[in-house]
């Protein structure tokens, strides 16, 4: 079976301020733009083979993917299913808020106007199933969000609810996933 790569978008102002971005469309900081260009350079320097970049439609991920594409020459396209989870009433609140930390372990809760973890993961799992079908012939780089990273990790690894809620990756961190 094949593989794919995953990268989280570059830094945003709300990342710096420790706020939940969720489905809110937040721009990259100048550091975030630089992180994306540096990831593109790393992909070139390490000769990482990628056929296509697919990214979330949110501007922070799309701009990250665009910088990587410009540096590497790898074509990119937007994939709506990679959009970050909508955290409803928690959007723009502190990431480490006690109420939010508990809410992240309640997988059927829609956060008063958001998207439940169950529905969100189903969306990501469906996309991964589609990528898996093509993985013997095509290598993708998915550029998305920390919540998407959690869902991707849980597709490949058994996790407790608490492990799932705590999982995260750094801005512009590149991870490789192997299909079995």
């Amino acid at each position: 079976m094949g593989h794919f790569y995953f990268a989280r978008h570059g830094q945003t102002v709300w990342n710096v301020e420790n706020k939940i971005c969720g489905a809110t469309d937040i721009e990259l900081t100048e550091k975030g733009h630089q992180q994306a260009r540096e990831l593109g350079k790393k992909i070139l320097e390490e000769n990482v083979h990628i056929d296509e970049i697919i990214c979330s439609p949110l501007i922070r991920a799309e701009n990250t993917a665009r910088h990587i594409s410009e540096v590497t020459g790898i074509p990119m396209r937007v994939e709506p299913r990679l959009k970050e989870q909508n955290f409803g009433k928690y959007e723009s609140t502190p990431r480490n808020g006690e109420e939010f930390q508990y809410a992240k372990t309640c997988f059927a809760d829609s956060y008063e106007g958001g998207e439940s973890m169950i529905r969100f993961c189903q969306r990501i799992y469906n996309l991964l199933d589609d990528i898996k079908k093509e993985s013997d012939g095509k290598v993708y780089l998915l550029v998305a969000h920390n919540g998407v990273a959690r869902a991707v990790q849980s597709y490949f690894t058994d996790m407790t609810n608490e492990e799932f809620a705590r999982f995260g990756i750094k801005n512009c961190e590149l991870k490789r996933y192997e299909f079995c």
Side-chain angles (χ1 to χ4, degrees):
M1 298 299 295
H3 65 279
F4 71 94
Y5 294 91
F6 182 92
R8 182 179 176 200
H9 61 77
Q11 181 191 72
T12 69
V13 173
W14 282 11
N15 292 152
V16 173
E17 295 175 353
N18 200 36
K19 291 182 181 178
I20 300 163
C21 296
T24 305
D25 217 1
I26 304 298
E27 290 273 354
L28 294 174
T29 62
E30 186 49 47
K31 180 179 179 179
H33 288 284
Q34 185 58 36
Q35 288 172 323
R37 289 187 288 269
E38 288 172 6
L39 178 54
K41 290 176 189 173
K42 176 183 175 178
I43 289 168
L44 282 178
E45 289 166 2
E46 295 181 7
N47 202 25
V48 177
H49 174 77
I50 296 169
D51 295 303
E52 186 176 15
I53 302 167
I54 56 177
C55 68
S56 160
L58 295 176
I59 196 74
R60 59 193 183 267
E62 190 172 347
N63 281 344
T64 299
R66 189 167 319 287
H67 286 308
I68 295 167
S69 177
E70 288 169 354
V71 169
T72 63
I74 300 168
M76 64 164 278
R77 67 179 160 91
V78 171
E79 169 52 68
R81 291 178 287 179
L82 282 173
K83 186 174 183 179
E84 177 65 292
Q85 182 177 4
N86 184 331
F87 292 106
K89 72 177 187 174
Y90 297 108
E91 303 249 338
S92 83
T93 66
R95 295 187 71 74
N96 55 353
E98 191 174 315
E99 184 181 344
F100 176 66
Q101 292 305 310
Y102 174 74
K104 280 184 7 182
T105 67
C106 301
F107 287 7
D109 185 2
S110 292
Y111 311 113
E112 295 180 28
E115 179 182 24
S116 75
M117 197 68 69
I118 292 171
R119 287 187 177 101
F120 170 68
C121 285
Q122 183 62 51
R123 170 165 54 91
I124 301 303
Y125 291 175
N126 288 346
L127 173 62
L128 294 175
D129 287 344
D130 290 347
I131 289 170
K132 183 178 182 179
K133 291 173 191 169
E134 299 177 28
S135 68
D136 283 334
K138 195 166 190 177
V139 178
Y140 290 101
L141 167 60
L142 282 58
V143 178
H145 311 276
N146 210 31
V148 177
R150 257 184 235 105
V152 169
Q153 184 72 19
S154 72
Y155 183 90
F156 291 94
T157 307
D158 285 338
M159 303 168 85
T160 66
N161 289 357
E162 292 76 20
E163 289 169 333
F164 182 91
R166 283 193 312 267
F167 183 83
I169 67 172
K170 296 176 183 163
N171 295 109
C172 287
E173 180 179 341
L174 184 67
K175 289 187 62 90
R176 179 181 166 132
Y177 288 94
E178 301 277 341
F179 290 111
C180 300

